Amino acid sequence: MMVLGCSASNGIEADLARELGTEAAKVETTRFPDGEIKVMVPDTGDNDVVVVQSTCAPQEKNIIELLFAADVLRGRKARVTAVVPYLAYARQNKSFRPGEAVSVDVVLEMMHAAGIDRLVTVNPHKVDALSRFKGALGLVDSEKRLAGSIKGRLRNPLVFAPDHGSLDMARNAAATLGCSYTYIDKRRDADGSVSITGTHGGDFKGKDVIIFDDIISTGGTIVQAAGFAYGEGAASVSAAGIHLVMADGAMERLRSAGIEKVFGTNTIPCDKAEIVNVSPDIAECIRRL
Ligand code: R5P
């Protein structure tokens, strides 16, 4: 087995190679004068190749680069396992309004068509949304590792899920931190704004609240949840996201909402938070596959 890293692998290929006891190499990506990309995949002679590429921004370029690399490997008759630590477009898993493309379906179809036999990804937004992928799937849950990296950092923690979708993650994180958890319900309006639609108890008074979510993008979800937690008497509020997408202005929004610390993983490069390396979880998933 050989591990290859594309340009947005964030160094995970080197960790995986170490974990799996094999070698790592880089896919070489350059640009033509008109902006199109050119991908060169080193030929190592291996017929079992793991190729790592996060599909964070710039999403389209990173997806295309992965597809091009997979196609080269398919041409060499290799079995291709794509490790996509952050899977872009996973949130557009249905037509929320008539005429909207179900983007994740298209991305998964393209990946399989390009020659990806097995897809490994970390905490996808909705597992069901991956069912359209026609190859084998490896799903990595890294909330326990993320929670483990926070353990001991908060005096009197309470885990808080900012919507029902993050409840399982919050439950697992709370088990790791040895504390209780609660959640709220949220609604996202067509203009992207977030509002709270329901609450489910929990004693916030004097607690060091840690909000757990799969993705922090604009920060809008965390801001609403933090306002609620402080309103209920929290001593401090911090945020933990598996995928720190961090759209423009997100960190400033979090700071203005009183978020003290931001924790995340290396599925997306981010230099504004405390980061834990999830490569061991990915390696374990590949071994299981
Ligand atoms: C949505 O349901 C996800 O779990 C996240 O809550 C959401 O993607 C976060 O996005 P933002 O930071 O823009 O509110």
Side-chain angles (χ1 to χ4, degrees):
M1 181 183 277
M2 176 76 190
V3 188
L4 293 174
C6 293
S7 66
S9 64
N10 203 17
I12 289 177
E13 79 279 9
D15 299 332
L16 284 185
R18 250 190 321 275
E19 294 272 345
L20 297 169
T22 184
E23 299 293 312
K26 279 305 265 190
V27 168
E28 191 190 309
T29 302
T30 50
R31 279 198 188 271
F32 289 105
D34 62 1
E36 292 178 356
I37 61 167
K38 180 164 84 172
V39 165
M40 295 272 293
V41 182
D43 192 356
T44 59
D46 288 86
N47 58 7
D48 190 6
V49 180
V50 174
V51 56
V52 185
Q53 173 80 320
S54 195
T55 53
C56 51
Q59 295 87 340
E60 292 74 21
K61 181 238 168 199
N62 289 337
I63 290 170
I64 285 281
E65 194 183 334
L66 174 62
L67 299 180
F68 288 178
D71 186 65
V72 173
L73 293 165
R74 177 180 52 182
R76 291 178 189 156
K77 310 273 181 266
R79 178 175 70 169
V80 182
T81 303
V83 170
V84 182
Y86 172 67
L87 180 64
Y89 292 106
R91 287 181 290 174
Q92 189 68 25
N93 62 328
K94 58 180 180 185
S95 286
F96 295 93
R97 280 175 295 177
E100 283 182 356
V102 183
S103 314
V104 70
D105 286 353
V106 180
V107 168
L108 293 172
E109 291 230 20
M110 288 193 304
M111 286 181 174
H112 192 254
I116 294 173
D117 303 296
R118 313 190 301 174
L119 172 65
V120 174
T121 191
V122 180
N123 290 82
H125 179 60
K126 278 204 168 54
V127 171
D128 293 353
L130 302 195
S131 59
R132 187 92 171 252
F133 183 68
K134 295 191 187 87
L137 268 181
L139 300 177
V140 179
D141 279 331
S142 280
E143 66 262 24
K144 289 188 180 156
R145 184 171 296 277
L146 178 56
S149 75
I150 298 168
K151 200 167 180 156
R153 306 286 312 279
L154 303 173
R155 199 178 46 84
N156 189 13
L158 169 72
V159 172
F160 186 26
D163 56 31
H164 189 267
S166 297
L167 188 52
D168 285 345
M169 182 178 296
R171 193 178 292 119
N172 287 336
T176 302
L177 289 169
C179 68
S180 54
Y181 64 93
T182 186
Y183 73 108
I184 48 176
D185 300 307
K186 83 162 189 224
R187 185 184 66 218
R188 189 181 292 277
D189 293 321
D191 65 358
S193 62
V194 173
S195 50
I196 296 172
T197 55
T199 62
H200 299 273
D203 181 10
F204 289 78
K205 286 197 181 55
K207 292 283 170 57
D208 296 305
V209 171
I210 176 81
I211 304 170
F212 255 85
D213 207 351
D214 59 338
I215 295 170
I216 304 177
S217 180
T218 63
T221 302
I222 300 289
V223 167
Q224 285 297 321
F228 178 80
Y230 277 122
E232 294 291 302
S236 73
V237 182
S238 295
I242 302 285
H243 307 293
L244 298 181
V245 170
M246 295 299 185
D248 266 357
M251 193 52 84
E252 293 67 30
R253 255 171 245 125
L254 298 187
R255 295 283 176 237
S256 316
I259 298 297
E260 293 202 348
K261 298 187 183 79
V262 180
F263 301 94
T265 79
N266 60 338
T267 61
I268 297 177
C270 177
D271 57 7
K272 297 177 186 137
E274 299 188 34
I275 299 296
V276 66
N277 182 2
V278 296
S279 303
D281 298 332
I282 299 174
E284 181 49 35
C285 180
I286 293 172
R287 280 189 210 104
R288 272 202 321 268
L289 265 182

